[in-house]
Amino acid sequence: MSSVGAGFRLARAGWVLVREGVIAALPGEELSGLPKFGWRLARLFTRRRALAYERSDRLAKAVVRLGPSYVKLGQFLATRPDVVGNDMALDLAMLQDKMHTFPKAEAVAAIETSLGRKVGDLYVEFGDPVAAASIAQVHAAEAIHEGVATKVAVKVIRPGVRRRFFQDLESYFLAAHLQEKYIPSSRRLRPVEVTETLAQTTKIEMDLRLEAAALSELGENTKDDPGFRVPSVDWERTGRDVLTMEWVDGVKMNNIAGLEEAGHDLKAIAANLIQSFLRHTLRDGFFHADMHPGNLFVEANGTIVAVDLGIAGRLGKKERRFLAEILYGFITRDYLRVAEVHFEAGYVPRQHNVAAFAQAIRAIGEPIHGQPAETISMAKLLTLLFEVTELFDMATRPELILLQKTMVVVEGVARTLDPAFNMWKTAEPVVGGWIAGNLGPRGMMIDARDGAKALLALARQAPELAARTDRLSREIDLMAEHGLRFDETTAHAIGKAEARYSRSGRVALWVIALTLLYIAWKIL
């Protein structure tokens, strides 16, 4: 029955997208056969007034009708232009995560259930909501800190959002499985794996203790950084469904007129924003991955304060070195080195030719060197780079896609503040400093130290590895002699799972088909 319910919800979502003109706005003229027939049919069922809107507006209206979980789906897919395409990713990135507020009484109940204490014992004053998004809303409140009443921001999970999201998640998984099964060309995009990533990231975002931990970690990383910080966390008043943090007094970065009235140097703020982001990415390998201007405040002294750390990105040492070397390679026009870095990182399969890959990279780099520095977009460079790597079978790297998406947003904010913003000149001190410290003699010494530690750890595990090797050798000998066999229970379980999967897929397809026929009959 779960698959039947998921099928109905999926059919409803498809119908809403059709009626709001989202399907009709897609470039269907390039299609052929049954997909083109479906696109033409969708145009017939589109609301007439929807045809007057731009595609991004149609998408926004459809998502609002579908509910909070679809807002989150849209925001997630905005980070995956490899899946939905660059144009659609830009439209999705424009979705405003603004929802209606829910009653204060429900917020109070959620806080008291999560923390096991009365709101009156936790806060001197607990006010009405000041902002609401798809997963949570924020209240202004006051709490006693060191004997002084201090203003705080209290973020509370939206009631019922987990249940609704996981119901809709069944529909997403059904759509992903059907896509993989019936559209072979989509399998390289790994739709089921993409859906699993969405499920995991949203689970994390719906546990406000984890957001508090991310704020705490970023706060420790940036405590000595000039001009950037995050709000401090009140751990005593933080739980799974509630996050209490320092109240931020400042001007939102999307309020350009307000920043100018406050006397801020917009060029300095733009430079500080980019350098802070690159510092977090290269130095710490941990960055705020949702740095749109609504999440950024500027305090009276010019310090940038970043809030809403529900989405964070991490880069390992290999990924950080990869990023720094490709940026440095483009700056110095060393395209062969950029290509070699891709192969050394294991991102491009070895069967491809390094020189041929370097030639493709040169096609990206040379036009850039003919432009003024202030017109060159680092985010655009990474976008073109990832497009070229698809030709060489580079597997999807979610951590790099998230980095690219965040860089697009951050660079866009910087150019809003300073239209003549020179990304390369601003980034050079951070990128150059990291390269000098990590790819020069000092970096070689650090690598040698890390290698020695790894060898020591391996030596300690040698007896256990030898025992495992001996067991594996004996099992391989037995397998060679008797063949690979499943026990009766395993074989029965595999057959049962396969039958259930096939049956569920057929039931879901029939449900969707019957629902669409019913809708068409009602309209006609």
Side-chain angles (χ1 to χ4, degrees):
M1 293 304 295
S2 178
S3 295
V4 173
F8 272 114
R9 287 190 291 271
L10 190 60
R12 175 184 175 270
W15 177 245
V16 170
L17 292 175
V18 166
R19 290 292 282 164
E20 295 297 338
V22 177
I23 306 299
L26 298 176
E29 296 293 348
E30 301 173 5
L31 301 174
S32 60
L34 189 60
K36 188 164 187 176
F37 173 74
W39 176 73
R40 286 177 171 171
L41 196 63
R43 289 176 63 88
L44 292 176
F45 290 146
T46 299
R47 296 178 191 272
R48 289 188 178 181
R49 65 172 179 269
L51 296 174
Y53 297 122
E54 296 292 332
R55 187 175 65 185
S56 58
D57 294 328
R58 299 183 194 183
L59 189 60
K61 290 179 180 297
V63 166
V64 168
R65 283 187 61 187
L66 289 170
S69 58
Y70 279 85
V71 173
K72 193 52 58 182
L73 173 65
Q75 291 176 328
F76 172 77
L77 290 177
T79 71
R80 299 299 302 269
D82 58 317
V83 174
V84 298
N86 286 322
D87 292 340
M88 182 60 73
L90 290 174
D91 287 345
L92 291 168
M94 295 172 65
L95 287 176
Q96 294 296 306
D97 193 4
K98 294 180 180 179
M99 306 293 291
H100 295 298
T101 61
F102 55 88
K104 177 181 173 181
E106 293 184 13
V108 170
I111 293 170
E112 293 180 345
T113 301
S114 182
L115 300 180
R117 296 168 62 185
K118 294 292 184 182
V119 165
D121 297 333
L122 294 164
Y123 307 102
V124 177
E125 183 180 337
F126 186 78
D128 293 324
V130 295
S134 58
I135 286 180
Q137 70 182 22
V138 177
H139 294 255
E142 284 190 0
I144 299 297
H145 289 151
E146 298 179 354
V148 178
T150 306
K151 192 174 184 180
V152 293
V154 185
K155 187 173 183 178
V156 187
I157 285 288
R158 184 176 290 275
V161 70
R162 291 189 183 91
R163 176 181 55 79
R164 176 63 186 275
F165 180 81
F166 290 121
Q167 285 180 342
D168 287 334
L169 192 62
E170 291 179 352
S171 303
Y172 305 159
F173 272 112
L174 175 60
H177 281 294
L178 293 175
Q179 185 178 353
E180 281 198 356
K181 188 171 183 178
Y182 295 107
I183 310 177
S185 61
S186 71
R187 289 171 189 163
R188 72 173 188 84
L189 299 175
R190 305 171 183 172
V192 174
E193 185 177 310
V194 169
T195 309
E196 289 171 347
T197 304
L198 167 64
Q200 180 62 23
T201 56
T202 309
K203 284 178 184 176
I204 292 173
E205 197 170 353
M206 288 182 182
D207 189 334
L208 296 184
R209 294 169 298 188
L210 299 180
E211 181 178 345
L215 283 168
S216 177
E217 181 177 352
L218 190 58
E220 288 182 3
N221 292 343
T222 61
K223 64 180 184 297
D224 297 323
D225 288 358
F228 184 93
R229 70 182 190 89
V230 293
S232 59
V233 175
D234 182 345
W235 285 102
E236 180 187 354
R237 297 170 178 83
T238 293
R240 189 183 74 147
D241 296 339
V242 55
L243 165 59
T244 304
M245 57 194 146
E246 167 194 359
W247 182 269
V248 177
D249 281 317
V251 181
K252 277 193 176 184
M253 208 171 281
N254 55 9
N255 184 2
I256 303 297
L259 292 172
E260 291 176 338
E261 289 176 9
H264 291 297
D265 184 341
L266 301 190
K267 292 184 177 181
I269 292 173
N272 182 22
L273 179 64
I274 290 295
Q275 290 183 345
S276 295
F277 169 70
L278 290 173
R279 195 177 292 117
H280 306 160
T281 303
L282 293 174
R283 180 192 65 194
D284 308 321
F286 181 64
F287 58 92
H288 193 311
D290 196 16
M291 293 181 74
H292 64 75
N295 283 342
L296 300 169
F297 291 81
V298 181
E299 295 182 308
N301 63 358
T303 297
I304 296 171
V305 185
V307 301
D308 195 2
L309 198 50
I311 304 174
R314 290 190 184 275
L315 292 181
K317 190 172 183 179
K318 181 177 76 172
E319 287 78 23
R320 284 182 271 166
R321 175 170 294 185
F322 168 79
L323 174 64
E325 287 218 57
I326 61 171
L327 293 178
Y328 189 72
F330 274 107
I331 292 172
T332 60
R333 301 173 74 175
D334 189 351
Y335 305 118
L336 181 61
R337 180 57 192 152
V338 175
E340 289 172 346
V341 169
H342 280 77
F343 281 81
E344 290 171 5
Y347 292 158
V348 177
R350 288 288 177 182
Q351 70 262 24
H352 291 290
N353 184 277
V354 177
F357 188 49
Q359 177 185 354
I361 294 200
R362 180 180 292 273
I364 298 172
E366 285 305 299
I368 287 176
H369 281 281
Q371 299 178 27
E374 62 270 15
T375 68
I376 302 174
S377 166
M378 187 181 293
K380 181 65 173 178
L381 170 67
L382 290 177
T383 300
L384 292 173
L385 179 63
F386 291 155
E387 288 177 357
V388 166
T389 55
E390 286 183 13
L391 301 175
F392 290 83
D393 303 317
M394 177 173 164
T396 298
R397 307 293 307 184
E399 70 278 10
L400 297 180
I401 294 294
L402 185 59
L403 169 70
Q404 175 206 358
K405 172 260 182 183
T406 309
M407 190 171 288
V408 168
V409 174
V410 173
E411 188 175 10
V413 175
R415 291 190 187 278
T416 301
L417 297 170
D418 178 12
F421 182 72
N422 187 326
M423 181 71 172
W424 298 96
K425 182 177 179 180
T426 306
E428 195 280 329
V430 179
V431 177
W434 191 90
I435 288 175
N438 291 271
L439 302 184
R442 179 186 169 193
M444 294 175 65
M445 292 179 64
I446 293 173
D447 288 344
R449 182 196 65 192
D450 293 344
K453 287 182 179 179
L455 287 174
L456 181 60
L458 186 62
R460 288 173 177 168
Q461 297 175 29
E464 183 181 352
L465 291 173
R468 288 182 181 177
T469 303
D470 181 58
R471 287 197 302 271
L472 180 60
S473 177
R474 282 188 270 112
E475 289 173 3
I476 290 174
D477 289 340
L478 289 172
M479 193 183 302
E481 183 178 350
H482 302 291
L484 178 62
R485 296 183 179 181
F486 293 117
D487 61 39
E488 185 177 350
T489 304
T490 302
H492 178 72
I494 291 174
K496 186 176 179 181
E498 181 63 25
R500 183 170 60 251
Y501 171 74
S502 300
R503 185 168 60 251
S504 298
R506 288 195 298 270
V507 170
L509 284 173
W510 275 108
V511 168
I512 293 170
L514 291 172
T515 303
L516 291 176
L517 286 172
Y518 172 75
I519 292 170
W521 176 73
K522 292 290 286 184
I523 289 177
L524 299 176

